[in-house]
């Protein structure tokens, strides 16, 4: 999209729509899911309470929610001890939420300053939109509502990427290790470390991650650590969920969804491998030439997007794209790649499933419903708007890389 008085209209549209949908989501969740408030936080709270009493904490569940258990490594439970001291989950949740907001705002400020150092002037409006997108967008509001830690960890990845760009490899490695220690999948972002040959970052990440895992053995015992691997880590593959085609209302971001729908009889093991085989060449192509900051951002965006699409990621994990997404919205030069990127980012803000879309269609005039249902149902059974948008943005990164490569060849021919 064109710039208005030097400001990127595309960035404003993406950030503003994400926030508007987020505010709408808060209202809907308060109306229809009020009992889900602080659900993830309650998991942390009751697990920490059990751990402080010397009891096993991987089997503890919040009252009334037997399906929700603690899923993070043993040592991580120490971070939730302070919240369990009050004797009630309510005050701790208020503090937890305040920390999430403060951390998100801090990550947004760091990201905005990174964009400014790259040469793009930002206003207070820009700062507010970026902060709002990280804390109040449709991608982050559920995490804040449930009391999850995604906003905090997403801000931590901003620290990691900014630190790596500034050649502060140790800080970057530790930041990513902490995020991966909790959520696991950010460990795949380390592919970018390997491409950059950031060996100190690799060493710092491995030392931090392995060290924290090992620390759980003397503090909590071998059996507790084994329980984490057997009951929390390994089941995250969720291969059985996709057998016969994923439920169109399941809130997953993954290429396994369309593959499982198109090939319902595909072997679950093959379904795990194929997304990696499809995405790896794309990422490698984006890594072929890193001539400037935009090239690096495109490669980072491809790395994070491929990670989320290759794994069975939840919708709320989209917030981990915040660093390359926002940076490229402001720094990608005008052209076909930018238009495609902005279009994909807007589409990804429609973080809805088939059921959500059908409810909207039912509000429209009777005469148009059959036609819309005939289109919406197969399209959103195959995939979701957020996935379509991510694929479009990945395509935009490929277009950017192709145009850069073509420009280099043209310049080389002219010089010859």
């Amino acid at each position: 999209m064109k710039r208005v008085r030097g400001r990127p209209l595309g960035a404003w549209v993406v950030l503003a729509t994400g926030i508007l949908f987020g505010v709408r989501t808060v209202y809907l969740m308060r109306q229809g899911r009020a009992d889900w408030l602080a659900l993830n936080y309650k998991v942390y709270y009751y697990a920490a309470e059990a751990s402080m009493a010397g009891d096993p904490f991987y089997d503890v569940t919040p009252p009334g929610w037997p399906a929700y258990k603690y899923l993070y490594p043993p040592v991580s439970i120490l971070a939730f001890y302070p919240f369990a001291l009050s004797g009630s989950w309510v005050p701790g949740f208020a503090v937890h939420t305040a920390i999430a907001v403060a951390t998100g705002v801090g990550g947004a400020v760091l990201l905005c300053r990174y964009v400014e150092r790259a040469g793009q002037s930002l206003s207070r409006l820009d700062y507010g939109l970026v902060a709002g997108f990280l804390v109040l967008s449709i991608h982050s509001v559920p995490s804040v509502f449930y009391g999850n830690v995604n906003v905090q960890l997403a801000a931590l990845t901003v620290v990691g990427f900014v630190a790596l760009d500034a050649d502060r490899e140790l800080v970057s490695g530790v930041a990513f290790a902490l995020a991966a220690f909790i959520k696991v999948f950010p460990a795949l972002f380390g592919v970018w470390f390997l491409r950059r040959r950031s060996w100190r970052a690799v060493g710092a990440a491995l030392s931090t991650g392995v060290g924290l895992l090992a620390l759980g053995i003397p503090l909590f015992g071998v059996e507790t650590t084994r329980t984490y691997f057997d009951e929390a880590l390994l089941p995250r593959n969720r291969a059985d969920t996709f057998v016969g085609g994923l439920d169109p209302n399941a809130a997953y971001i993954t290429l396994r969804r369309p593959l499982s729908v198109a090939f319902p009889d595909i072997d679950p093991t093959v379904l795990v491998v194929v997304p990696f085989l499809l995405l790896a060449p794309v990422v490698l192509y984006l890594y072929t030439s890193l001539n400037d900051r935009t090239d690096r951002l495109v490669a980072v965006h491809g790395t994070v997007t491929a990670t989320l699409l290759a794994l069975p990621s939840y919708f709320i994990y989209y917030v981990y794209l915040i660093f390359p997404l926002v940076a490229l919205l402001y720094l990608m030069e005008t052209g076909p790649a930018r238009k495609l990127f902005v279009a994909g980012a807007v589409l990804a803000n429609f973080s809805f499933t088939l059921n959500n879309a059908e409810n909207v269609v039912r509000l429209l005039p009777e005469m148009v419903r059959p036609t819309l249902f005939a289109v919406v149902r197969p399209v959103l059974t195959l995939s979701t708007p957020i996935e379509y948008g991510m694929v479009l943005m990945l395509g935009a990164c490929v277009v950017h890389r192709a145009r850069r490569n073509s420009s280099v060849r043209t310049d080389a021919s002219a010089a010859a």
Side-chain angles (χ1 to χ4, degrees):
M1 290 188 175
K2 296 181 180 179
R3 294 177 181 269
V4 178
R5 296 181 180 179
R7 302 297 184 185
L9 178 60
W12 290 346
V13 171
V14 172
L15 299 175
T17 54
I19 294 169
L20 289 174
F21 285 143
V23 173
R24 173 182 176 275
T25 300
V26 172
Y27 171 78
L28 293 177
M29 294 181 79
R30 287 294 299 167
Q31 294 297 313
R33 292 189 173 182
D35 56 331
W36 289 41
L37 178 66
L39 178 55
N40 289 140
Y41 173 80
K42 290 176 184 177
V43 171
Y44 311 150
Y45 173 83
Y46 287 107
E49 200 173 51
S51 178
M52 292 175 67
D55 298 326
F57 55 89
Y58 281 113
D59 292 330
V60 176
T61 62
W65 297 93
Y68 292 85
K69 298 179 180 180
Y70 194 76
L71 298 176
Y72 305 149
V75 170
S76 63
I77 196 68
L78 298 176
F80 299 104
Y81 276 12
F83 298 103
L85 296 175
S86 63
S88 169
W89 66 266
V90 177
F93 176 64
V95 174
H96 178 84
T97 303
I99 291 173
V101 172
T103 306
V105 171
V109 170
L110 183 63
L111 177 50
C112 287
R113 289 178 178 173
Y114 168 86
V115 171
E116 288 184 316
R117 287 195 299 272
Q120 175 65 49
S121 177
L122 299 183
S123 65
R124 292 181 179 178
L125 174 62
D126 294 300
Y127 271 79
L129 286 172
V130 175
F133 193 79
L134 187 50
V135 176
L136 290 174
S137 75
I138 190 171
H139 309 293
S140 52
V141 156
S143 291
V144 177
F145 186 88
Y146 298 140
N148 207 307
V149 292
N150 290 306
V151 171
Q152 297 94 310
L153 297 183
L156 196 60
T157 63
V158 173
V159 173
F161 281 122
V162 172
L164 186 62
D165 189 76
D167 294 323
R168 299 178 64 185
E169 294 185 17
L170 295 180
V171 173
S172 180
V174 171
F176 279 112
L178 293 175
F181 181 67
I182 300 297
K183 291 295 183 178
V184 183
F185 72 87
L188 289 179
F189 299 171
V191 174
W192 178 238
F193 288 171
L194 300 179
R195 174 59 181 86
R196 286 284 302 268
R197 296 182 176 85
S198 304
W199 307 122
R200 286 182 297 171
V202 172
L206 288 174
S207 300
T208 302
V210 174
L212 288 173
L213 279 174
L215 186 60
I217 296 176
L219 291 181
F220 297 97
V222 174
E223 191 58 37
T224 299
T225 301
R226 182 183 293 116
T227 299
Y228 162 69
F229 281 97
D230 292 342
E231 299 183 12
L233 181 60
L234 296 180
R236 293 189 187 190
N237 182 44
R238 303 181 184 92
D240 294 341
T241 305
F242 298 86
V243 174
L246 182 67
D247 180 349
N249 291 308
Y252 283 116
I253 302 170
T254 177
L255 286 187
R256 294 190 200 180
R257 179 194 296 273
L259 289 171
S260 70
V261 173
F263 307 100
D265 297 324
I266 192 172
D267 184 272
T269 303
V270 175
L271 197 60
V272 171
V273 175
V274 171
F276 287 93
L277 296 179
L278 293 174
L279 292 164
V282 178
V283 175
L284 291 176
Y285 178 64
L286 299 179
Y287 284 4
T288 53
S289 182
L290 306 173
N291 297 315
D292 59 20
R293 187 187 301 271
T294 305
D295 286 345
R296 294 193 296 272
L297 285 170
V298 163
V300 169
H301 194 279
T303 302
V304 180
T305 300
T307 296
L308 295 177
L309 289 176
L311 301 173
S313 309
Y314 293 116
F315 279 10
I316 53 179
Y317 288 175
Y318 183 88
V319 72
Y320 290 88
L321 262 175
I322 187 72
F323 170 78
L325 173 68
V326 170
L328 284 172
L329 285 173
Y330 281 102
L331 298 176
M332 183 178 279
E333 57 267 27
T334 302
R338 177 178 174 78
K339 292 178 182 178
L340 186 60
F341 189 86
V342 170
V346 171
L347 182 58
N349 281 339
F350 290 83
S351 184
F352 307 136
T353 61
L354 174 60
N355 187 55
N356 301 131
E358 288 185 329
N359 288 337
V360 173
V361 172
R362 292 187 181 97
L363 299 176
L364 301 177
E366 177 67 32
M367 66 180 67
V368 301
R369 291 181 200 170
T371 301
L372 289 177
F373 279 132
V375 174
V376 166
R377 283 170 178 159
V379 170
L380 295 189
T381 296
L382 182 65
S383 194
T384 60
I386 190 170
E387 292 175 68
Y388 287 124
M390 291 174 70
V391 171
L392 279 180
M393 286 188 285
L394 193 59
C397 292
V398 171
V399 171
H400 168 89
R401 181 72 272 141
R403 289 176 65 85
R404 284 291 180 93
N405 289 348
S406 176
S407 177
V408 169
R409 287 194 295 269
T410 301
D411 292 344
S413 299

